[in-house]
Amino acid sequence: MTERLDASAAGIARAADLLRAGRLVAFGTETVYGLGADATDDAAVARIFAAKERPRFNPLISHFADAEAAFREGVPTDLARRLAERFWPGPLTLVLPRQPGGTVSDLAAAGLPSVAVRVPRGTVATQLLRAVGRPVAAPSANLSGKVSPSDAYHVLRGLQGRIDAVLDSGPCPVGVESTVLDLTGTSPVLLRPGGITVEALEEVCGPISHPDDYAHTLPTSPGQLASHYAPGLPVRLDAQDVAPDEALLAFGPEIPGAGLVWNLSPEGRLDEAAARLFAGLRFLDSEGARRGLSRIAAMPIPRVGLGRAIRDRLRRAASPRPI
Ligand code: TXA
Ligand code: MG
């Protein structure tokens, strides 16, 4: 049975107790719902992989209530401190060398000498993390290979009965996962575009390398399966036209002629589009399949700001499925 907890003080306290007892609790962050477990407990972390049916032990992001707690697990550079000052709490994950006295389990860190740390924004998430008082590992709360959940209902659709509880804090305002930035080398490397834009990072870091085209298909970060965000219907990118047997993922004014439409943002706003992306993929996938449509056609998304993260998730959705 999966308990549904509301975002009251009692609900948060119950969620924290479950996490401290090694159980699995999905909770909302500003990006997507995470499937949380005590990151210091190998057995709890193993339950994440089992519940998600994830075939491999990818390194997971550890979540904290504040930067001080995060830097007890990852060694901060000067740049890490400046980024934290500017963007935390918020959708930025930093990959840092592990602290010698750190408590994150080897399974959560996948045995790497580095650890991914993040301080999410959102009063419920922050209260939960503060109450747990330990690092909380949390990949997106979906079955492996499925679209990430942006509300508690999506979580239950995939994981009902497989996890101990879901703490419902409503829909996620950002809608795409955090930006992952590797600070372990001589210069910062963008491992995953996400909720903090490259342009905003560069104001603090200077230029950073960021492969961000649909042509780029090699995983750059451990555990980045190309087809991570996969709907069931095939996805066609940068569609300039659309057929009646296609479901259109529109951005801005719609191309006419589709069998079904979800408009990410009629006004062409990237923040609105990011927040509506995963819900749109789910809708077009299930409703499109029900109507016998043959694929999803996605209109072009500009390669700027949050558009990079949206393009990255669409590229993954369109990648060939692993066998
Ligand atoms: O928005 C988010 O970040 C969501 C919400 C729930 O917080 N969480 C999330 O977590 O996406 P997860 O664990 O699925 O993200 C893992 C990403 C992968 O791209 C992984 O390869 C990278 O972080 N990562 C984790 N540890 C790493 C490490 N030590 N070195 C390089 N990449 C790492
Ligand atoms: Mg995910």
Side-chain angles (χ1 to χ4, degrees):
M1 270 302 297
T2 300
E3 289 179 45
R4 297 192 66 162
L5 304 172
D6 63 28
S8 62
I12 293 168
R14 172 73 182 150
D17 286 345
L18 286 167
L19 285 170
R20 291 176 62 87
R23 312 311 309 177
L24 297 183
V25 179
F27 64 99
T29 75
E30 80 281 40
T31 60
V32 300
Y33 272 70
L35 179 52
D38 179 350
T40 70
D41 176 347
D42 271 321
V45 174
R47 283 190 197 107
I48 291 179
F49 294 108
K52 286 182 62 99
E53 296 184 5
R54 216 184 232 197
R56 291 186 276 168
F57 290 160
N58 308 324
L60 301 177
I61 297 171
S62 290
H63 296 65
F64 302 86
D66 52 49
E68 210 184 311
F71 293 151
R72 281 198 288 270
E73 298 295 333
V75 181
T77 57
D78 277 354
L79 180 56
R81 287 189 195 282
R82 278 188 283 134
L83 289 165
E85 184 76 22
R86 172 78 174 270
F87 297 112
W88 281 353
L92 175 65
T93 293
L94 299 178
V95 176
L96 301 173
R98 281 166 86 175
Q99 288 280 12
T103 60
V104 169
S105 78
D106 273 333
L107 187 53
L112 295 169
S114 55
V115 64
V117 297
R118 135 165 164 82
V119 177
R121 185 175 69 218
T123 45
V124 178
T126 303
Q127 287 171 46
L128 175 67
L129 293 166
R130 188 147 287 143
V132 174
R134 295 177 199 157
V136 173
S140 54
N142 50 272
L143 289 171
S144 183
K146 302 290 187 195
V147 175
S148 299
S150 48
D151 67 30
Y153 171 75
H154 293 156
V155 173
L156 289 169
R157 283 287 298 269
L159 297 176
Q160 172 87 263
R162 307 178 66 92
I163 62 176
D164 298 287
V166 57
L167 177 60
D168 189 348
S169 52
C172 304
V174 174
V176 291
E177 290 87 344
S178 61
T179 301
V180 180
L181 191 68
D182 184 349
L183 296 181
T184 60
T186 47
S187 53
V189 177
L190 183 75
L191 297 181
R192 179 175 76 181
I196 296 291
T197 65
V198 171
E199 291 87 340
L201 288 178
E202 287 184 332
E203 284 175 23
V204 179
C205 300
I208 52 182
S209 63
H210 47 88
D212 66 344
D213 199 77
Y214 286 165
H216 167 79
T217 50
L218 287 176
T220 48
S221 185
Q224 282 287 56
L225 275 182
S227 63
H228 192 84
Y229 302 88
L233 289 179
V235 178
R236 182 164 75 84
L237 301 173
D238 280 336
Q240 305 287 347
D241 50 28
V242 67
D245 70 335
E246 291 183 315
L248 183 69
L249 187 69
F251 179 76
E254 287 154 24
I255 317 170
L260 180 68
V261 178
W262 175 280
N263 201 323
L264 290 169
S265 173
E267 293 165 31
R269 278 179 38 206
L270 288 168
D271 57 346
E272 183 183 33
R276 288 169 52 75
L277 175 66
F278 290 133
L281 285 173
R282 281 168 187 277
F283 169 75
L284 293 180
D285 197 27
S286 59
E287 185 58 21
R290 204 182 64 81
R291 297 188 190 190
L293 302 184
S294 43
R295 82 189 68 75
I296 295 171
M299 286 176 64
I301 305 288
R303 202 179 272 113
V304 293
L306 284 173
R308 295 181 208 273
I310 297 170
R311 290 178 65 85
D312 173 80
R313 304 313 186 266
L314 287 174
R315 174 176 61 75
R316 290 172 202 289
S319 298
R321 310 283 187 272
I323 304 164

